[in-house]
Amino acid sequence: MSNVAVFDQNAGAGVLAESPLSHVSGRKGGSSPGVILREKAFMGYLTLRGNAADAAFCEGVEQVLGMPLPTAPMALHQNTQKGSSILWISPDEWLILLPGGTEYETELALRAELSGHFAVVNVSGGLTLLTVTGPDARHLLHKSTGYDVHPRNFPVGKGVTTTFAKATAIIRRPSETTWELVVRRSFADYCYRWLVDASREFGLDAEI
Amino acid sequence: MLHIYCPYCGEHREESEFRPKGQAHILRPKDPDNCSDEVWADYLFFRDNPRGLHHEMWLHATGCRKYFNVTRDTVSYEILETYKMGEQPKITAQSRAAGGEK
Ligand SMILES: [Zn+2]
């Protein structure tokens, strides 16, 4: 239990929310696009910090999220029932992704469950997520990041924080065919335009 | 381009993900009020600049954002080992001179 003043940052349906890509018009990629790009806007993001060697901390997180805390580097755990996931960011830091609107109750639940030296920060306003699918998704990534995205190095269930098009991004692989990019809000426009440019040779379908 | 092994991520990453952060293993004087100006100035301002083996801190800036230590040859740029904060190097000028690990 932590005695910290928190508030629900989600203003609710009565207030117009704009994704950082609300201004782009998207584009159609013809009959067989090599790359399909979508934005999953308005998801909930919580940065979690704590001691992975503390059994009570690990159990508390698992209790709230319904999936174990990933302690192996770059491990991505998913709770498909809840539509949530948690990614190892560093030995004492994780990024929790949640369906939009559930981040506040999850933060409260974590605060109620955990004790001692830990931190939960709602960073939902600062990030957005792009999904990259299609037959040329991996070729697109080859052009965009120095990280080795070959399946032998990047299996399903992995996520890395690395450089992407000279910006920083989290690249996640939640399933065999889907890549996800978690980018900062202020870099979303730049990353989108990079992806449009880099996808030209493959054909891009981007309904943003 | 260097390929640097991050001891926290447990894999090699490209140099562009890292930032060098200067000499490692610098100890703050335990009693600053009662140490000499020379000792304090040495702690604050003076750094080794060896030709050859050097122990440095590096930051995995666009990865896990952790500091770690690197033993690097400043002549060849070769990175001989990386190790976590709080650990000591296995490869030192002495171990090299003794013909151990080089
Ligand atoms: Zn790292």
Side-chain angles (χ1 to χ4, degrees):
Chain A
M1 193 70 196
S2 69
N3 186 21
V4 174
V6 291
F7 70 102
D8 189 354
Q9 299 177 25
N10 194 322
V15 176
L16 176 70
E18 282 192 337
S19 103
L21 292 175
S22 59
H23 60 291
V24 308
S25 48
R27 53 191 72 207
K28 286 275 177 207
S31 54
S32 57
V35 175
I36 299 160
L37 188 64
R38 294 287 184 274
E39 184 193 16
K40 267 194 202 170
F42 312 125
M43 290 188 64
Y45 300 82
L46 298 177
T47 290
L48 172 70
R49 303 204 61 173
N51 181 4
D54 175 359
F57 174 75
C58 298
E59 281 164 25
V61 173
E62 183 166 355
Q63 188 79 31
V64 172
L65 299 180
M67 57 188 154
L69 184 77
T71 50
M74 292 155 291
L76 169 69
H77 291 174
Q78 304 180 78
N79 183 331
T80 42
Q81 234 169 11
K82 287 189 177 180
S84 58
S85 62
I86 181 167
L87 174 67
W88 183 100
I89 297 290
S90 115
D92 54 9
E93 182 178 342
W94 297 265
L95 183 66
I96 303 168
L97 264 72
L98 301 155
T102 65
E103 60 271 21
Y104 184 55
E105 62 192 50
T106 308
E107 178 183 359
L108 292 179
L110 284 167
R111 289 190 178 281
E113 193 66 34
L114 302 176
S115 60
H117 192 60
F118 74 96
V120 184
V121 182
N122 185 347
V123 293
S124 306
L127 299 167
T128 195
L129 187 143
L130 293 160
T131 61
V132 183
T133 53
D136 290 307
R138 185 149 64 86
H139 298 135
L140 170 66
L141 293 178
H142 282 158
K143 296 170 68 176
S144 309
T145 178
Y147 192 78
D148 182 4
V149 293
H150 191 281
R152 102 189 128 231
N153 186 61
F154 210 136
V156 173
K158 187 173 183 176
V160 300
T161 315
T162 185
T163 47
F164 183 89
K166 297 183 190 174
T168 311
I170 296 169
I171 306 173
R172 304 172 7 130
R173 193 158 181 227
S175 75
E176 203 61 50
T177 52
T178 308
W179 298 87
E180 291 177 339
L181 302 171
V182 179
V183 297
R184 284 173 196 273
R185 182 180 185 90
S186 52
F187 280 93
D189 176 75
Y190 165 75
C191 289
Y192 169 75
R193 285 173 205 284
W194 171 286
L195 289 164
V196 168
D197 187 49
S199 303
R200 260 160 78 170
E201 62 177 298
F202 311 119
L204 172 67
D205 177 336
E207 258 179 55
I208 300 276
Chain B
M1 177 73 80
L2 297 171
H3 243 177
I4 301 172
Y5 184 86
C6 172
Y8 293 102
C9 291
E11 60 180 32
H12 285 84
R13 297 289 187 91
E14 284 196 5
E15 182 185 350
S16 54
E17 293 193 13
F18 299 89
R19 300 286 177 273
K21 291 288 178 180
Q23 187 182 341
H25 305 300
I26 295 171
L27 290 179
R28 188 174 195 270
K30 281 209 164 62
D31 187 1
D33 290 335
N34 291 305
C35 77
S36 68
D37 286 352
E38 197 184 342
V39 167
W40 187 247
D42 193 51
Y43 160 69
L44 276 188
F45 302 117
F46 290 90
R47 298 292 177 261
D48 295 340
N49 185 21
R51 180 181 162 81
L53 209 80
H54 194 29
H55 303 290
E56 301 169 324
M57 284 191 298
W58 282 65
L59 171 67
H60 194 181
T62 65
C64 63
R65 303 195 295 260
K66 290 286 178 202
Y67 280 79
F68 59 96
N69 299 301
V70 168
T71 304
R72 188 174 66 92
D73 191 316
T74 61
V75 177
S76 66
Y77 280 22
E78 186 186 356
I79 290 174
L80 300 156
E81 62 175 342
T82 62
Y83 50 103
K84 292 178 180 175
M85 299 309 283
E87 295 179 353
Q88 292 298 313
K90 288 196 180 70
I91 302 166
T92 61
Q94 290 88 328
S95 80
R96 255 188 166 180
E101 288 186 85
K102 43 180 187 307

